[in-house]
Amino acid sequence: LVQLVESGGDSVQAGGSLTLSCVASGDRLVRYCMAWWRQVPGREREAVATIFTSGSRTDVVPSVKGRFTISRDNAKNTLYLQMNDLKPEDTATYYCAAANPDYCYSRRTDHYNDWGQGTQVTVTN
């Protein structure tokens, strides 16, 4: 069991950048595959980026490819999402989540045992 706290959400103009952070406590982050998810009210939660335990491999959805980068610093027990060239359609609540390594890169919410409380990203024209 790991506790996750996101930060870094804000309101920005289209084309801007944000970096989200997710600090873990209660366990070592290196034990988990991690992911950033996002959700818009009335829509299903979407996994946008995933990263292997060591950070050696990442995966992002096509809609954010080339704009979002997921990374981790296991020594700091912290996960990051660098978001560049933000678009209004990126507006959502962003969540970090931890999964057993058996479910690395999964896009099923039930494969993730631990979730943060979310941080709001709003992108305006």
Side-chain angles (χ1 to χ4, degrees), residues 4-101:
L4 303 171
V5 178
E6 304 97 335
S7 62
D10 204 346
S11 180
V12 297
Q13 289 193 328
S17 298
L18 283 174
T19 300
L20 305 184
S21 299
C22 171
V23 178
S25 61
D27 202 352
R28 296 172 64 219
L29 196 66
V30 69
R31 297 183 58 190
Y32 300 90
C33 283
M34 299 297 296
W36 284 100
W37 293 69
R38 65 185 179 187
Q39 188 169 27
V40 176
R43 297 179 64 178
E44 289 190 358
R45 197 167 289 193
E46 172 192 30
V48 296
T50 58
I51 188 167
F52 188 60
T53 55
S54 65
S56 59
R57 179 182 165 183
T58 63
D59 187 36
V60 297
V61 295
S63 62
V64 306
K65 195 173 183 66
R67 301 189 298 120
F68 289 15
T69 302
I70 186 171
S71 63
R72 63 196 295 164
D73 186 337
N74 287 330
K76 294 183 178 179
N77 249 25
T78 303
L79 176 75
Y80 302 99
L81 185 67
Q82 175 66 44
M83 304 187 293
N84 298 325
D85 190 22
L86 282 160
K87 305 177 185 299
E89 51 265 40
D90 296 319
T91 294
T93 301
Y94 283 74
Y95 300 88
C96 62
N100 183 296

Side-chain angles (χ1 to χ4, degrees), residues 82-125:
Q82 175 66 44
M83 304 187 293
N84 298 325
D85 190 22
L86 282 160
K87 305 177 185 299
E89 51 265 40
D90 296 319
T91 294
T93 301
Y94 283 74
Y95 300 88
C96 62
N100 183 296
D102 290 340
Y103 298 121
C104 276
Y105 317 115
S106 172
R107 300 217 171 110
R108 288 177 48 173
T109 57
D110 61 341
H111 283 167
Y112 290 81
N113 296 321
D114 303 297
W115 295 80
Q117 82 290 348
T119 187
Q120 179 66 35
V121 172
T122 303
V123 185
T124 58
N125 278 315

